[in-house]
Amino acid sequence: MTSSASDLKAALAVAGLRLTGPRLAVWEVVSSASDHMTADEIASEVGRVDPTVNRSSVYRSLALFDELGLMRQSSLGPTDASHWELAHPDEQFHMRCESCGSVEHHTGDLVDRVRDHLAGDHGFQATRVDLLVTGLCRNCHP
Amino acid sequence: MTSSASDLKAALAVAGLRLTGPRLAVWEVVSSASDHMTADEIASEVGRVDPTVNRSSVYRSLALFDELGLMRQSSLGPTDASHWELAHPDEQFHMRCESCGSVEHHTGDLVDRVRDHLAGDHGFQATRVDLLVTGLCRNCHP
DNA sequence: TTAAGTGCAAACGCTTTGCAGTTCA
DNA sequence: TGAACTGCAAAGCGTTTGCACTTAA
């Protein structure tokens, strides 16, 4: 078991849940990805590693990891499909190029500023900030 | 025809398109709403006014208005359903309370700051900024 | 007159669910 | 042992599409 997998096991144990084959497979696939993946991509990749794992289990695992705060779901892309990635606390926002379709992550203090601003001026306690910027990336605009 | 309806007619004419019954009905429903509506809510309301209007036409009208820049589609709420509202240029972002489900609009210069920041530092030309803050509103947090 | 637009019904993509069987603490 | 978990297949939801008919300009 990799060290990150035993972290997963610990996180699950705290909630009284088990580390199973499907969960581990989903975890490994997503955590070794450099980018976001759709549930479909995750399911395919998991299927390559272990063909006995069912799609439903992939969806159930992702939903669980989301609930535990281990992964993060976003609606990027033109389609309805959700995109998944590990929930890094320093992960800030996404920039999607509408021409080439690429999605960049961007780190900065913008999201924190939003959070602070709302807490101060509006009494709104933000638990999650989703910032998606759509436009043309450096390579695609004239 | 209301004045905003003739604006709609003009906007359509520029694109060589027609003002029809279904389009007008969708327009009136959405533009008289104080808040966002799901496509489903719009379709129901349109159906009350004119039961002969089909759901497909509602979806087609909304997609068209989006393309023309007249309306704006967002994924708020816990479900997959899209939410629609008129595209006000001064409309900035949404704050959704995960306890009571209410969605507030918030106006400020945050979105413009994001836009400027990206254009300067990253060569990213933003055409659209979606900022959704989820958390607890003033009434719901302790 | 005729391209633009519609209703209808069927299909679509993504995701969730009920259930009966399996597995891990 | 018993609750957690799974695979399977079917249904769910929101949305889109093909087609023949209708309508606005």
Side-chain angles (χ1 to χ4, degrees):
Chain A
M1 189 176 338
T2 68
S3 72
S4 95
S6 46
D7 289 351
L8 172 61
K9 181 164 190 174
L12 288 167
V14 167
L17 303 173
R18 304 177 190 161
L19 178 53
T20 62
R23 286 176 183 169
L24 181 56
V26 169
W27 180 261
E28 306 260 66
V29 164
V30 175
S31 58
S32 67
S34 60
D35 212 339
H36 338 78
M37 302 178 75
T38 62
D40 189 70
E41 291 165 342
I42 296 167
S44 302
E45 193 56 28
V46 166
R48 275 189 357 99
V49 177
D50 180 353
T52 71
V53 174
N54 192 267
R55 274 188 125 57
S56 321
S57 298
V58 172
Y59 277 100
R60 285 191 270 232
S61 298
L62 291 171
L64 175 62
F65 295 158
D66 188 22
E67 206 172 334
L68 294 175
L70 301 173
M71 289 187 189
R72 194 178 154 85
Q73 179 179 22
S74 325
S75 327
L76 314 166
T79 156
D80 285 348
S82 290
H83 292 239
W84 294 85
E85 61 194 316
L86 289 188
H88 294 302
D90 59 331
E91 183 83 2
Q92 297 284 356
F93 61 88
H94 294 119
M95 301 189 300
R96 174 162 61 95
C97 178
E98 58 200 359
S99 171
C100 69
S102 69
V103 180
E104 292 176 45
H105 298 225
H106 179 61
T107 305
D109 64 347
L110 273 167
V111 170
D112 288 336
R113 288 220 304 269
V114 170
R115 207 183 293 270
D116 293 348
H117 174 67
L118 293 178
D121 292 14
H122 296 81
F124 193 96
Q125 204 169 72
T127 56
R128 176 180 172 136
V129 176
D130 283 292
L131 177 49
L132 172 61
V133 181
T134 312
L136 295 173
C137 72
R138 198 196 314 273
N139 299 327
C140 290
H141 78 71
Chain B
M1 192 181 330
T2 68
S3 72
S4 94
S6 46
D7 290 350
L8 172 61
K9 181 164 188 172
L12 289 167
V14 167
L17 303 173
R18 302 177 191 162
L19 178 53
T20 62
R23 285 175 184 170
L24 182 55
V26 169
W27 180 260
E28 308 259 64
V29 164
V30 175
S31 59
S32 67
S34 60
D35 213 341
H36 339 78
M37 302 177 75
T38 62
D40 189 70
E41 290 165 344
I42 296 166
S44 302
E45 193 57 28
V46 165
R48 276 190 356 99
V49 176
D50 179 352
T52 71
V53 175
N54 192 268
R55 272 186 130 58
S56 320
S57 298
V58 172
Y59 278 100
R60 285 190 270 232
S61 299
L62 291 170
L64 176 63
F65 295 159
D66 187 24
E67 207 172 334
L68 293 175
L70 302 172
M71 289 187 187
R72 195 178 154 87
Q73 180 179 21
S74 325
S75 330
L76 316 165
T79 156
D80 284 348
S82 289
H83 292 238
W84 293 87
E85 61 193 317
L86 289 188
H88 295 302
D90 61 330
E91 182 83 2
Q92 298 283 358
F93 62 88
H94 295 120
M95 300 188 302
R96 174 163 61 93
C97 178
E98 59 200 359
S99 170
C100 68
S102 69
V103 179
E104 292 177 44
H105 297 226
H106 179 61
T107 305
D109 63 346
L110 272 168
V111 170
D112 288 335
R113 288 220 303 269
V114 170
R115 208 184 292 270
D116 293 348
H117 174 67
L118 293 178
D121 292 14
H122 296 82
F124 194 96
Q125 204 169 71
T127 57
R128 176 181 173 135
V129 176
D130 283 292
L131 177 48
L132 172 61
V133 181
T134 312
L136 295 174
C137 73
R138 197 195 313 272
N139 299 328
C140 291
H141 79 71

